[in-house]
Each structure stands twice: as C-alpha cells, then as structure tokens.
Amino acid sequence: MNALDWSRGLTEMTLAFHILFATVGVGIPIFISIAEWIGIRKNDPHYSLMARRWTRGFVITVAVGVVTGTCIGLLLSLLWPEFMRFAGNVVSLPLFLETFAFFFEAIFLGIYLYTWNRFSNPYIHWLLTLPIVIGASASALFITMVNAFMNTPQGFTLEEGRLTNLDPIAAMFNPAMPSKVAHVLSSAYLTAAFLLAMIAAFAMLRGRDNEYNKKSIRLNMMTGLILAAATILIGDSSAVFLAEAQPEKLAAAEWHFETSSRAPLIIGGKLNPDTNEVTGAITIPWALSLLATHHPNGTVVGLNEFPKDEWPPLYVHYLFDAMVGIGFYLLAIPILFLFMTLAKRWNAYNRWMLAGIVAGGPFSLFAIELGWFYAEVGRQPWILRGYMRVSDAATTNPHVGITFWLFAALYLLLGIVCLLVLSRLFRNKPAELELEERRVIL
Amino acid sequence: MPLAEVGITVLWIFLYGYLIVASIDFGAGFYAYYGKVIGIESVIGPVISRYLSPVWEVTNVFLVFFFVGIVGFFPDTAYYFGTALLIPGSVALILLAVRGSFYAFANYGAKKSNLYLLAYGATGLLIPAALSTVFTISEGGFLSVSANTVTLLMEELFFSAYSWAVVLLAISSVLFISSTFLTYYADHAEDKRALEWLRSFALWGGVPTIISSLFVFIALRNHNLEHFDNMVRLWWMFGLSLVSFAIAIWLIWRRKNYGTAFVMVMLQFAFAFFGYGMSHLPYLLYPHLMLVNSVTNQTMGRALVVAFVAGLLLLIPSLVLLLRLFLFNAKYVKGETS
Ligand code: HDD
Ligand code: HEM
Ligand code: HEM
C-alpha cells in the first residue's frame, strides 16, 4: 500500500469512528432538553431523572467525539495537504464558524453539568440546554456545509490553476447543502431517539418493568415516529437532488446504466462486472423515475454518460439499499408501538416489541455509517467533484502506514473503554435505585 | 492593518490563550500524579479537579480554533507543516486524545485508578514537548523541501540543542504557570494545606523556567541568527517579561496577592510570547513561508475577520459567565455547591 491508500484508510477509519460519537452528540441534547422541560412542567421526577441520566452518558460520548474530532480536524491537514491548501481558500469560513459552535457548546455544557442545584428557578437550568442544542446542531450544519461543497463545489473560478472570483458565501450555500444538512440533522435526532429508547427497552427486558422506563420509551417512540418520517422524506429529497446535480452518485447506487425515462428501481441483486447485467434483484417498474423526479415518465441519467474512470465503486448499491431498509424499519417500529398502545387489546411492552426497539439502536447507528459511506464513496474518484481527484490530494509523506496503526490502536482503546464506562455507569446504578436516593448527581 | 497581520494577531492571541489554559491543565496533571507519589493526593486533588472539571473541553477548543484558523488564514501552512508534521502531529494527537477522553471517563464515569493518574500526569508533560516541536521547526533547518514534497529531518531535530532547549522551556513553563494558578485557586478556596504545597511548587518552578529561557536564547543565536537579532531589537519586551516574573515570584514569596501574582505570570508569558512572535515575522516558516505570500485571498480573509468578530461577541459573554460561575464564585471554589 502506498501513502494514498494508507491516507484513505486512515481517513475512513477516523471518520467512521468519529461519526458515531458526533451523531450522538448532535442528537442527544435535544432529548435532554425535552425531558428536563417536561420534568419541570409536569413536576414529574421521572423525566427529570431521565435528563440527568442521559446527560451523564452524553458527557462520556461527547468526550470521545471531541478528541476524535480534534484528530480529524488536524488529520485533514496532515493527510490531504493539497486539498486543504486548495479548498482552504474557498471553504475555510464554515470550518472556522464550526469552531465557534464548538466553543459555544463546550462552555455551556461545562456550566450545565455543574449547576444542577445552583438556581432556585429550575427553568434557568433548563435554559442552559438551549445553547448546547444550538451549538451541537450548528457544528453539524457547518461541517456538513463543507462536505456538501466537496460534492458540488461552487463560489470560485479556476483559471490556469489559480483561484479567482471567490465567494465564500456561495461556497457555503452550495446546491448539495440544503438536502444534506437536513438529512444529517434529522437522522442524527432519529438515531438519538432510538438509542435512548434502546436503553430503556433493554432495562425492561432485564426485568425492570417500571414507569420510568415506560415513559422513556413512550417519549422516544413518539418523537421517533415523527423523525423517521422526516428522515425518509428528506432522504427522498436528497435522491431528487442527486438525480439533478450529481447523477452519477445516484446511478451508481441504483445500478442504472442507460439514461431512460420510466426507469425501474432495483433492490438487492447481483451485478455481473463485465456485462453490467443484474440478476436476482427485485425490480419495481417506474419506481426509480418516481423516486428521482417524482414523475413516472421522468428521465434518469445513467452511468454510461460518464467516462468509466469517473464511476464510483458500484458496491454502493448495497449500502444505499441497506440504509433505506433500515429507514423503513425505524418507521415501522414506532408505528407498531403506537398502534399497540392505542388499541388497548395488546401489551405494547411485550418482549417482541421491546426487542424490536432494542435492535433499532444499533440499526440506526449502522444506517449512519452506511449513509456516510454511500455519500463519500459515491463521490469517488473525486475529493472535490470535477476539480480535484483524491489521488492528487494525498500527502507525499511515506510514513502514513505507521500512523494508521497508531490511530487504529487508539480507536480500539477508546471504543472499548468507552463501552465499559457507559455500561458500568448504567448498570451500577439503575434508575430505580437513583429515584430512591435522589441525591446530587455528577 | 493589512489582512495578514490581522490574521496572525488573532491566531497568536488564541494560541496564547491556549498556552495559559492548557498549561494549567497539563501541569495540574503532573501535580496530581506527583501529589499521589509523595502522599498528599487528598490535599491538592480536590482543588485541581474542582477547577478542571467544568473547563477541560473549552481548553481543547482553543487548540482546534488555532489549527483551523491558521489553515483558513494561511492555507499554505497546511501544505508545509501538514506534510512534514505527520509523525509528531499524530503523536501529539494521540496523546491529547488519550488524555482528554480518560479525563472524562475517570471524572464522569469510573473510579480513578493509579494507571489513569500516571497517564494523566505523563501526558501532561509529553504533550507540551510534542507540540513545542512546531515552534522549533518553524525556525528553519529541519525541513527539506523539494518540488513535490516536504520532509522532516528527524535526525537534525533530535540532535539539535535548540530543539531540546525549547522542549525544556515548554515543560518548565507548563509547571510554573500551572502551580502559580493553582496557588491562587487554593488561596481563594481557603485551603491552607494545599496552598502551602502549591506555593512551594510555584517558587521552585520559577527557577528552571528562567534558566531554560536563557538556554533558548543562546541556542537560537547559534541556530537562527536573523531571528535572534530581531529578538534583540525587541529587548524591551523580554525585559518586561523578566520584570513581571520577578514581581510574581516576590509576591508569592511574601505570601500575598496570589491573584496579582498570577496576573504577573500571565504578563510574563504574554510579553515573551508576543515578543517571540513579533520577532519571528516576516517568516512563518524560515525560509520557505513568509507571512505576506502565504495569506489567503482578500475575500476569504475579510469573511474570516467578520466571522471572528461576530464569534467573539458570542464567546466573550459566555466565557465571562463560565468564569464567574466557577472561577470567581467563592462558594463553588470552596466546594460548597455541587
Ligand atoms: C439513521 C440514519 C439514516 C436513515 C434511516 C436514512 N438515511 Fe440517508 N443518509 C444518512 C442517514 C440515514 C446520513 C448519515 O445522514 C447521510 C450520509 C451523508 C449524508 O448527507 O447523509 C445519508 C445520505 C443519503 C443520501 C446521499 C446524499 C448525498 O450524498 O448528497 C441519500 C440519497 C439518502 N441518504 C437517502 C435516504 C433515503 C431515501 C432514506 C429512506 C429510507 C434514507 N436515506 C434513510
Ligand atoms: C463526518 C462525516 C463524514 C464521514 C463519515 C466521511 C466518510 C468518508 C469515507 C468513508 C470516505 C472514504 C471513501 C473511499 O472509500 O475512498 C471519505 C473520503 C473522504 N472524505 Fe469524507 N466523510 C465525512 C465528511 C467529510 C468532510 C466534511 C470532509 C472534509 C472537510 C471529508 C473529507 C474526506 C476526504 C479528504 C476523503 C478522501 C479520502 C478517501 O477517498 O478515502 N469528509 N469520507
Ligand atoms: C470531516 C469532518 C469533520 C471534522 C473535521 C470534524 C471536526 C471536529 C472537531 C475538531 C471536533 C472537536 C471539537 C471540540 O474540541 O470541541 C469535533 C467534535 C464534534 N463533531 Fe465533528 N467533525 C467532522 C464531522 C462531523 C459531522 C459530520 C458531524 C455531525 C453530523 C460532527 C459533529 C460533531 C460533534 C457533535 C462533536 C462533538 C463536539 C461537542 O459535542 O462539543 N462532526 N468534530
């Protein structure tokens, strides 16, 4: 492997690790805020305790998010110096703004954690959640803007290798930005809802059948329903956007080779790499045209319009299908749960339902990984679509291999210790015990 | 002021901020470990953790701000430093990552263990040493630049007297800044026993700081005469730094005004740090990168400055709130509220 391959590997590994914690970091604060608010309003200690317990877990994941994010931030310069030198001229503004969002969140998180009992009016403490929510979501907004720029670069003209007519605002508000930001945010909130529901459902499966866990599941399934629907709708608008502005990415995900109208949707299947024939797939007529253009007669651009050396790897088809599959699973679970709650004939907290909710946690995290790998691998071979290839951007330093292994060891260590600490945190002190004690926490 | 100077001033101010807050943090790690070794953990431990707990993440953002900002204002630095610093940069990152996350694990999650304390103490000294190599490299002579790549000359770096002088200065400064701050904090907390220990750390910490900074001056003279001459031209900055140091030590020795003493230490480092920075110009990296040719375009530069001002309007009130709640709140400092 050469420096390029190692750099790719290290980037993939770091981002894949960071994104788990980043997603949790973006999503959980909203739920802490909601729970604390309900707790104060209804004067219900269950919800107040939820806010406290979630916060404690949250701090641990934020810590890993912060240190791995710091790694990416610096690694971008260490591994892709050419890219940063070039793109730094156009998109450093959102990256710079992101650090202010971090600052803002970090400051208020520090205050929030150590002021549970400081204010006589509990709403003041609740107010502190707002800057945390805003800061976390703004971090996601700004970094996703950078990523959207890599997909649809604009805001500059390239004349003989030199950048002119720079417009940082246009670079930030590029065509890929709206759908991407919306999908990243909604999927992060959705993931948080399922992770929190997972913890409560898991406790119920272990026999802690109590009101605290039920309330947590109810809250998270209700919000989960809305968020799953939103994520699918916005995901659909992402696909519409791709069909228009980045057709090769969509075509690669759908194994769509010939430009055509009334294009069928292919689910699963196997591709013959020489003939590009698909076997064993479920084919839904017209569905791709419907998905991509919202019209059965719409024309969808196929991969054959592009030179072969600009095709993304075709395995992204499976990533896309799996993400969409999980999306519908995450919609079905809350629907089923609400249906069972409303139709009083069944017990909505039966073992199967709870197991289904528990599975939603890892599934949603998995969908985040699938989605990002689809989005990033689908952009290949470009690092800056149409302008710079990944192979032209990598460092020339020959020692990336060593650093890859160093970071691999780091992430392994962090991952294991983080899981241990989290599980000990919740196991050693079940909610029931804490409700009894009701002492100062943290 | 031209854009390039605005940019470097802003970044330098934030790097100075990082230097102070991170030194307090790094040094505290060392003292926590040392305290354990000599059996006074229960004395100075609480003082340290009460200050550190709410602010550790903020400390980290100062660093992120600096390296994101420098690539924004001076994109060429990404190419030179980015290519050359792969190994030292990665080592520093890994140490930072271990330190930050284990701090959170131990503090919010599990019980503290000895191993954790050792890691916390050791990284507190190793990280400043690793980060300080950036300053060393910027003096020139440690990179070989060809048409399509930049290589770090590890051997030169390892056998350079200047490079070791900088490492020594970094470590001793960290210990000195940290102990003077913690002395002030312990006094504020009216914790007499912790105060006595930390005060003696502060007094002893001053000696190696001054010796190693002299050592840096001498080594720089041999390594980069041009920079050294620029420094001599700014002699009054370094003179003021020395005066501030003397006042700080005098106050601590006389057991009074520990707050003022710490402000004097901050001034000591401000004068030295800005004197060093100003005399380093016009080069960012001798002799390859000049401030004026590596600055970003006007449009982006202006946008960054506007963003910066807007960001400060948001940050300063928040930081003031943080400090009022935790640093200047007597009840919290004494550990009387949660
Ligand atoms: C819980 C997570 C999750 C779920 C259930 C879904 N997605 Fe997704 N998807 C993401 C999480 C995600 C993501 C991690 O947020 C991505 C990666 C990059 C991005 O912009 O968002 C993404 C990317 C992404 C893209 C590529 C966007 C681009 O590269 O510009 C498309 C077209 C879709 N998604 C479409 C969908 C559809 C039609 C779904 C319907 C079921 C769906 N996603 C469910
Ligand atoms: C956090 C969300 C992101 C994730 C999870 C992610 C993930 C990935 C993955 C999996 C690849 C590998 C593609 C391949 O197989 O070659 C990749 C490529 C890359 N991404 Fe992203 N990406 C994210 C956002 C960004 C952003 C915002 C940037 C830049 C500022 C960026 C920079 C890069 C670079 C430089 C590459 C090229 C390396 C390569 O092709 O392997 N990524 N990313
Ligand atoms: C290549 C892409 C990325 C880079 C360079 C990056 C950079 C960073 C950095 C430097 C930090 C540490 C900040 C600190 O010190 O507090 C961080 C943390 C974080 N990042 Fe990422 N990030 C990337 C992708 C993402 C994405 C895609 C999201 C959201 C979907 C995200 C959300 C977060 C969050 C929530 C944190 C935790 C910080 C906190 O909660 O305070 N990041 N990231």
Side-chain angles (χ1 to χ4, degrees), chain B residues 243-301:
Chain B
V243 171
S244 315
F245 168 78
I247 298 177
I249 289 289
W250 184 73
L251 287 174
I252 295 174
W253 193 59
R254 298 291 307 270
R255 298 176 187 281
K256 54 184 181 189
N257 301 31
Y258 293 112
T260 320
F262 181 64
V263 171
M264 282 299 146
V265 172
M266 280 175 67
L267 280 179
Q268 173 202 342
F269 280 87
F271 283 122
F273 193 67
F274 283 86
Y276 169 84
M278 280 156 72
S279 58
H280 200 290
L281 297 180
Y283 288 100
L284 288 179
L285 167 62
Y286 281 92
H288 306 288
L289 270 182
M290 301 262 273
L291 187 69
V292 280
N293 350 348
S294 58
V295 70
T296 187
N297 56 83
Q298 281 288 329
T299 330
M300 179 54 84

Side-chain angles (χ1 to χ4, degrees), chain A residues 8 12 15 80 146-147 150 372-373 376-377 380 383:
Chain A
R8 293 179 100 133
E12 284 168 27
L15 285 165
W80 311 99
V146 179
N147 186 262
M150 296 164 68
W372 275 109
F373 269 84
E376 298 293 300
V377 175
Q380 303 305 313
I383 189 163

